[in-house]
Structure formats: C-alpha cells, structure tokens
C-alpha cells in the first residue's frame, strides 16, 4: 500500500459541529493500492492512477500506454443481481447549494486546445472530496467506499475523477468556437455521465466570456453524490474564478493555498448571476431508462432568442465502458435525438471514449457499429493514437 499525498495545506477531519472542513487535531491519511487493478467482484479500475488527472500530466496511464494485465471480470459494469438501479431523480439546485461545505479546495487543469490556445478548467480536489465522503460515511449520510475505486459496480460509476476522453471532448468543442458570432446557437447542453463536468464547464466558461444568455445545462450522473460533491462545486468555481478580478468579495474568498470560501453571500451572487443571464443548471441522477429520458425531455427549456436557430448538444465521455453501459447509453441518446427531431430542433451527440476498455468489454468501435445499425449518422471527429487509443465521434439522426 502507498500513502497518498492528501494536501499541501492543513488537514481536516470530521467534527462534532458538523463542518468537516474545519481544522482538527486528528490527521486523516488516505491510502490507495500501488497499482490499481481489478479487485474483488464488482470493484475494478481502468488501470489509471489512483489520483485524478494531474494538471501537468495529460493522463495517468502506465508507461507505454498499455493497461496492466487484469483478471477476468464480468462483461457488464452494472447492474448487480439483486441490487436495483438508482431511479431517475431530479435535484433542486437551491437545495443542493444549501448542502455545500463552507469551503472547497481546487486545482486548475490546463488544456491545450490542439495548438489553438489553451484554457484552464477548475476541479474540486479529489482528496477534498474523499475527506468529505469519509466524514459523511461516519455520520451515515453516504454509501461506504465511494471514491475509493474507479468504478464500484452498481454503486459508483467513476464520477469523482476526470477521465481522458472528457478532455478530448473539450478540444473538439473548442474547434467549433461555440458562443461566437456566426456559430450555431447552443441553447441546451445535456451531459450524460457528467462527473466533474469538464466539457460542460468549458462551454459554461465560453458562454460567460461571450455574454451568451438563455442557455440550459442539464447535468446527469448515476450518483447524486457526484453531482453534489463535484459537479455543482466545479460550476461555482468556474464562475468565481472568471469574476474574481471584478468582484472584491470573490477575490477575498480565494486563499493562497487553492481554496474558495463558499459564504452565503458568494452563493447568493452565484444564483443571482444565473438568473440575470438566464442560465439554468439542472441536475439529474439515476440509471438511464425511459423514465430518465422523460425527465430530461420535460425539463424547462431556455426561453430567449426566439426566432433564431437553436441547437441541443448532448455530450458523453467514457460512458460506454461495458456492453451494458454502451447499450443503455445508445438507447438514451437515440431517444433524446428523436425527441429533438420531433420538435424540429437541431441536435447532435458528441461521444468521447477509448477504442477498447480492456477487461470490461466496451469499445468505441462497437458503439459506432451499433449506432449505424440503428440508423444514426456517425462521423469521427478526433483520434488519439498516443498512449491509450481514444476517439471522439459525432452522432445524429438523418
């Protein structure tokens, strides 16, 4: 076993007053396996580092880009026999904001946009998430073991970490110059299996910089805990970082060691910004299903920019890593595309994935084949041949 670096800052643990973020005399050490591989049944790794993607390292892949040898495991990532899948659930953003901790630690991920500049995307630190999870486990508020595995079958689908294909999606999105004059107006962004939400965060930042309004971000992950602990905090971080120079209150809320105070005043300003710009954040959790699709399609649409061509962008990164996940994801996106087509709206899906998920069974090639068999038009937009082979494809209905 190895002892992970927890932080260069103060260490925190659970306290009787309920605020896990306040310093305490007890030190917390997070331990991870030296080489993440398949472990007991239902808990497995994609053979990447136990930590998140580092800002100075594109991906945490073993040298040479080849996964380590893994034991044979089930070809289905979920479901688990006898364990029901989480139901489709809508979450109120106001209630989610009320449950945020007093502060969050974060880092910035530098993304090279294929020679067309770069951008920084904020992410709540994985160690900070794990500390909060452990505190909530002690209080019986969280499922034990969340965040300790790349995937915990039927329980946790990897949303606390940022995966390589989400960065690939950011690069593809950047090449289309969204929210710029002459670009197609994107009014709805639906990110399935969003996790840390890097592609949506990039679009959010571009929307802020272009003064775009009337945009709806629909963020969905299997685990509601992921939405609460990383997706929403990352959006608040992106907003706060963008406006920190013009807002003294925000500037003072940032510490020199990479933390942001989430005071009631700051959270109020964040909500006021969303209202003023008519930007909606909608959060959904649970398994992909007809009920899930109905919940998404019934979500409130932006009302501005009437009379202009508006488009729906559906995003998915690392969502097809097993045959079961691939099939569920494909059914979901086809249903969403058909709904948009029936409403005479333009819609497309961007899917980022590995060519093959070793030991699990999913593959980008299988997705392309099955999507075309179902009548979809699929076009490859990007291919990464160094390290673990990955690609990004566009999928639409004729």
């Amino acid at each position: 076993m190895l002892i992970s670096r927890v932080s260069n800052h103060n260490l925190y643990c659970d306290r009787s007053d309920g605020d896990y973020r306040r310093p305490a005399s007890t030190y917390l050490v997070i331990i991870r396996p030296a080489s993440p591989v398949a472990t007991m049944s239902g808990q497995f790794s994609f053979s990447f580092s136990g930590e998140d993607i580092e800002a100075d390292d594109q991906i945490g892949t073993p040298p040479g880009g080849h996964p380590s040898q893994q034991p044979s495991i089930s070809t289905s990532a979920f479901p688990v026999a006898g364990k029901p899948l989480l139901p489709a659930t809508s979450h109120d953003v106001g209630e989610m904001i009320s449950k945020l901790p007093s502060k969050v630690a974060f880092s910035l991920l530098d993304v090279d946009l294929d020679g067309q500049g770069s951008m920084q995307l904020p992410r709540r630190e994985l160690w900070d998430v794990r500390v909060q999870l452990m505190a909530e486990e002690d209080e019986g508020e969280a499922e034990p073991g969340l965040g300790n595995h790349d995937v915990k079958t039927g329980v946790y689908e990897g949303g606390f970490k940022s995966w390589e294909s989400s960065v690939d999606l950011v690069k593809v999105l950047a090449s289309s110059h969204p929210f710029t004059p002459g670009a197609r107006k994107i009014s709805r962004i639906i990110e399935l299996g969003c996790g840390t939400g890097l592609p949506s965060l990039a679009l959010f930042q571009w929307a802020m910089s272009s003064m775009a309004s009337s945009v709806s971000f629909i963020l969905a992950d299997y685990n509601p805990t992921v939405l609460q602990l990383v997706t929403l905090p990352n959006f608040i971080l992106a907003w706060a970082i963008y406006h920190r120079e013009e807002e003294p209150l925000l500037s003072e809320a940032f510490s020199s060691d990479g933390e942001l105070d989430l005071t009631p005043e700051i959270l109020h300003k964040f909500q006021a910004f969303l209202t003023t710009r008519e930007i909606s954040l909608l959060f959904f959790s649970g398994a992909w299903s007809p009920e899930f699709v109905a919940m998404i399609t019934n979500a409130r649409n932006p009302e501005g920019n009437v009379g202009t061509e508006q488009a729906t962008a559906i995003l998915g990164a690392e969502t097809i890593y097993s045959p079961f996940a691939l099939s569920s994801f494909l059914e979901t996106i086809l249903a969403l595309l058909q709904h948009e087509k029936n409403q005479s709206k333009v819609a497309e899906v961007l899917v980022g994935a590995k060519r093959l998920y070793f030991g699990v069974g999913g593959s980008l090639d299988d997705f392309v084949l099955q999507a075309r068999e179902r009548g979809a038009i699929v076009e490859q937009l990007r291919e990464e041949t160094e390290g673990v082979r990955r690609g990004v494809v566009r999928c639409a209905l004729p």
Side-chain angles (χ1 to χ4, degrees), residues 7-182:
S7 171
N8 292 327
H9 322 308
N10 292 331
L11 294 174
Y12 299 82
C13 70
D14 189 20
R15 291 170 57 100
S16 59
D17 59 11
D19 191 347
Y20 83 97
R21 287 290 324 198
R22 296 181 183 176
S25 58
T26 303
Y27 286 82
L28 173 66
V29 179
I30 298 172
I31 300 178
R32 63 176 171 83
S35 299
V37 294
T39 55
M40 59 184 292
S41 175
Q43 300 174 0
F44 57 89
S45 166
F46 293 154
S47 294
F48 302 118
S49 166
E51 297 303 317
D52 214 343
I53 297 176
E54 295 293 340
D56 57 354
D57 186 15
Q58 183 181 5
I59 57 174
T61 311
H66 299 290
S68 55
Q69 185 66 33
Q70 297 185 1
S72 176
I73 61 176
S74 169
T75 57
S76 187
F78 59 88
V80 177
K83 185 177 180 64
L85 294 173
L86 295 180
T89 305
S90 173
H91 302 275
D92 178 71
V93 66
E95 183 178 350
M96 292 174 68
I97 287 176
S98 71
K99 295 179 180 179
L100 290 169
S102 60
K103 65 173 64 177
V104 291
F106 69 96
S107 61
L108 296 174
L109 178 68
D110 290 304
V111 179
D112 176 17
L113 302 176
D114 289 336
Q116 302 299 312
S118 63
M119 73 182 307
Q120 291 186 320
L121 298 173
R123 303 170 302 162
R124 186 179 182 187
E125 289 277 23
L126 185 55
W127 67 262
D128 192 37
V129 173
R130 286 172 171 163
V131 171
Q132 184 173 352
L133 279 171
M134 290 179 181
E136 292 181 355
E137 284 178 20
D138 291 342
E139 297 174 359
E141 297 177 358
E143 175 106 24
L146 289 180
N148 293 336
H149 310 277
D150 284 352
V151 171
K152 189 175 181 181
T153 306
V155 177
Y156 164 65
E157 299 302 321
F160 293 128
K161 297 182 180 180
S162 300
W163 300 96
E164 301 90 335
S165 292
S166 62
V167 176
D168 296 337
L169 279 181
V170 171
K171 296 179 178 183
V172 168
L173 289 167
S175 67
S176 66
H177 306 290
F179 302 113
T180 58

Side-chain angles (χ1 to χ4, degrees), residues 315-335:
L315 312 172
E318 311 280 10
T319 50
I320 57 172
Y321 57 84
S322 76
F324 182 88
L326 190 158
S327 176
S328 298
F329 179 74
L330 180 59
E331 291 293 337
T332 299
I333 64 170
L334 290 177

Side-chain angles (χ1 to χ4, degrees), residues 129-311:
V129 173
R130 286 172 171 163
V131 171
Q132 184 173 352
L133 279 171
M134 290 179 181
E136 292 181 355
E137 284 178 20
D138 291 342
E139 297 174 359
E141 297 177 358
E143 175 106 24
L146 289 180
N148 293 336
H149 310 277
D150 284 352
V151 171
K152 189 175 181 181
T153 306
V155 177
Y156 164 65
E157 299 302 321
F160 293 128
K161 297 182 180 180
S162 300
W163 300 96
E164 301 90 335
S165 292
S166 62
V167 176
D168 296 337
L169 279 181
V170 171
K171 296 179 178 183
V172 168
L173 289 167
S175 67
S176 66
H177 306 290
F179 302 113
T180 58
R184 175 183 289 165
K185 163 66 177 176
I186 302 177
S187 60
R188 296 182 84 197
I189 294 100
I190 304 172
E191 186 171 357
L192 302 175
C194 62
T196 58
L198 296 187
S200 293
L201 284 174
L203 287 165
F204 183 57
Q205 290 188 189
W206 291 323
M208 286 191 292
S209 63
S210 68
M211 299 300 293
S213 61
S214 302
V215 183
S216 176
F217 289 86
I218 296 176
L219 302 144
D221 195 276
Y222 183 71
N223 300 97
T225 307
V226 169
L227 299 173
Q228 179 69 51
L229 269 59
V230 294
T231 316
L232 175 58
N234 285 351
F235 270 83
I236 296 174
L237 285 165
W239 163 79
I241 291 171
Y242 183 81
H243 293 93
R244 67 186 298 181
E245 298 301 326
E246 62 195 55
E247 288 278 359
L249 181 66
L250 285 173
S251 181
E252 295 169 3
F254 283 94
S255 68
S256 59
D257 50 6
E259 293 181 332
L260 173 66
D261 287 325
L262 300 179
T263 65
E265 294 79 10
I266 285 176
L267 296 177
H268 175 74
K269 279 186 172 291
F270 173 68
Q271 291 176 286
F273 167 80
L274 296 179
T275 300
T276 300
R277 292 283 292 272
E278 297 180 333
I279 296 176
S280 61
L281 299 183
L282 307 174
F283 295 90
F284 299 89
S285 65
W288 298 320
S289 63
E291 294 77 17
F292 176 88
V293 171
M295 199 169 284
I296 296 294
T297 55
N298 290 332
R300 179 172 54 87
N301 288 321
E303 311 226 348
N305 299 309
V306 176
T308 63
E309 182 182 11
Q310 301 181 34

